[in-house]
Amino acid sequence: MEIKSVPLKGKEYLYTYRNSQQISSQTGLIGYIRADMGAHDAEFFSTWNGFRDELNTQNFKDEIDTVINLLRKDGGFLSNRDQLEDFCINSDNVFAYNTGVDYGVRVNTKKYAFLMRLNPYKGNYNLYCYCYKKDWLDHHLEKAERGIHFIDSHYNEKFRLYDGDQIVIGKPDGSFDTHNGLRDRSERYVVRYIDDYHFEYGRNLRHICEFAELLEKSGNVVVPLRASLPDQCYTFVDSLNMIAIINKGELGYTDAKSANGRPSENRAMVNKLNEQLGVTKAQYAAMKQGSHFGFDKPDADPKNYTEKGTLIKPKNRNHDAR
């Protein structure tokens, strides 16, 4: 068997961690391997954690053994820790997680998909390999690209989020409610796609209309925290001649400080500061609109701006995008 690894793409990285029973069942998870290379850097101590015994067939066992053994051969990225580190750090053929220490690849066979999270550093598990029925996983990933619909109780869509984005639930004035089964404390929730009418947040599985009714009953609002937006950015408050910070999901601004120089110079300083943070012009424009009018509004989504930060006219927007 000839195998080829490719970088994880899209939201595949979400499936290199333990997920809920609902998601694991829908994606055809068979189980996962956890392994480390030991004190001498070339060993392979592994454990198998099964999920669905009926899918753990002899054919699957033969294929996973073949894949791991081929990657363990001399020159393979699982042959030793040095080889793994070189592959992770110097290869363009990996997905880099935002942890700074984890890297991801996918290996396909005819029937199975092996999604691997790699960590080349001693003291950590060096491999997590999540094993899926390939057609089940790909079908779920394709559907999840539609996004998670957030609606009111009359099925009017308010906004959509990508699988793996986050929300905060609270009162319109920014306080938080602890009743009606919506939240226990003021924290962010990761939202996960189940199907077009159901999603998970925290340990909760909700129908989208049930969730909307709970919000309305409690007087709460849901604030989207899109992964496509930075956590913070700088802004210039013209009317006050101040440079301030916008926080994702929050109205207004914080840490405002009087700016020196002319407004044009201060705007240039804000642009420079945002560039240093890696904030694009489209993200900055969306953050400004969100801080003024709410992050649940379409203009608080960077997909609705050009790379120069200019708002795309509604007739030219892709309404199927999230």
Side-chain angles (χ1 to χ4, degrees):
M1 178 191 297
E2 183 179 352
I3 63 171
K4 179 183 179 182
S5 67
V6 296
L8 298 178
K9 64 179 182 179
K11 297 296 183 176
E12 287 179 341
Y13 72 93
L14 293 170
Y15 301 89
T16 63
Y17 296 96
R18 292 183 65 178
N19 285 300
S20 69
Q21 185 168 354
Q22 181 73 33
I23 292 174
S24 297
S25 296
Q26 288 186 195
T27 53
L29 177 68
I30 304 164
Y32 69 93
I33 294 172
R34 184 179 66 185
D36 73 83
M37 295 177 174
H40 301 290
D41 299 335
E43 298 158 300
F44 196 76
F45 300 108
S46 65
T47 56
W48 168 255
N49 300 271
F51 179 70
R52 294 187 67 165
D53 291 340
E54 74 274 18
L55 298 179
N56 191 9
T57 63
Q58 188 60 49
N59 179 68
F60 164 73
K61 293 175 182 177
D62 292 341
E63 293 212 12
I64 185 60
D65 285 346
T66 299
V67 168
I68 295 297
N69 288 335
L70 286 173
L71 294 175
R72 289 279 297 142
K73 285 186 175 181
D74 288 345
F77 61 77
L78 293 181
S79 58
N80 58 69
R81 192 175 279 111
D82 287 341
Q83 193 71 40
L84 178 61
E85 183 175 6
D86 182 69
F87 176 75
C88 290
I89 303 301
N90 298 319
S91 173
D92 294 329
N93 201 35
V94 294
F95 166 83
Y97 291 70
N98 61 13
T99 61
V101 295
D102 296 301
Y103 304 85
V105 296
R106 173 171 171 164
V107 174
N108 290 323
T109 62
K110 185 176 181 180
K111 293 183 178 180
Y112 303 104
F114 304 104
L115 274 57
M116 302 184 183
R117 174 161 46 95
L118 311 170
N119 184 318
Y121 302 109
K122 187 175 291 188
N124 299 287
Y125 286 106
N126 303 120
L127 169 69
Y128 283 88
C129 177
Y130 281 75
C131 309
Y132 295 92
K133 289 274 291 183
K134 185 170 69 173
D135 53 345
W136 293 21
L137 175 65
D138 288 340
H139 181 64
H140 179 84
L141 288 169
E142 182 180 0
K143 290 196 303 178
E145 289 181 359
R146 302 170 187 167
I148 300 166
H149 300 244
F150 287 83
I151 60 172
D152 63 24
S153 59
H154 301 289
Y155 271 85
N156 299 307
E157 184 173 303
K158 300 170 68 176
F159 58 86
R160 296 191 203 181
L161 289 179
Y162 284 110
D163 186 21
D165 278 353
Q166 296 181 328
I167 58 172
V168 167
I169 303 168
K171 297 295 185 182
D173 63 1
S175 61
F176 297 102
D177 188 67
T178 58
H179 304 291
N180 297 299
L182 282 172
R183 64 180 300 123
D184 296 321
R185 54 189 180 277
S186 56
E187 65 181 51
R188 297 182 176 192
Y189 291 103
V190 175
V191 293
R192 299 302 309 276
Y193 177 91
I194 299 299
D195 57 38
D196 288 347
Y197 299 99
H198 298 86
F199 73 101
E200 292 179 349
Y201 66 100
R203 297 182 178 180
N204 303 291
L205 173 63
R206 300 288 189 195
H207 188 282
I208 57 175
C209 191
E210 175 196 15
F211 182 73
E213 291 170 349
L214 283 170
L215 286 176
E216 292 176 8
K217 180 180 178 181
S218 63
N220 280 326
V221 296
V222 59
V223 179
L225 303 176
R226 296 181 175 90
S228 57
L229 288 174
D231 286 336
Q232 291 184 327
C233 74
Y234 290 91
T235 189
F236 178 63
V237 186
D238 298 66
S239 60
L240 301 175
N241 194 34
M242 288 182 172
I243 292 177
I245 291 176
I246 298 172
N247 294 300
K248 178 167 63 176
E250 297 180 8
L251 292 172
Y253 50 82
T254 61
D255 298 329
K257 297 181 181 179
S258 296
N260 298 319
R262 292 175 295 183
S264 59
E265 295 172 336
N266 295 328
R267 292 190 194 95
M269 175 59 70
V270 164
N271 290 334
K272 182 178 180 180
L273 291 169
N274 283 333
E275 286 176 5
Q276 291 174 348
L277 291 176
V279 177
T280 68
K281 292 181 179 179
Q283 289 174 323
Y284 175 45
M287 290 283 280
K288 283 204 302 183
Q289 290 298 309
S291 70
H292 285 302
F293 304 109
F295 281 83
D296 58 339
K297 303 298 188 293
D299 291 351
D301 191 336
K303 74 177 179 61
N304 292 325
Y305 294 86
T306 67
E307 62 180 14
K308 294 182 178 180
T310 303
L311 186 65
I312 299 172
K313 294 181 180 180
K315 66 178 182 180
N316 294 325
R317 292 181 185 172
N318 180 357
H319 292 287
D320 292 329
R322 284 140 317 268

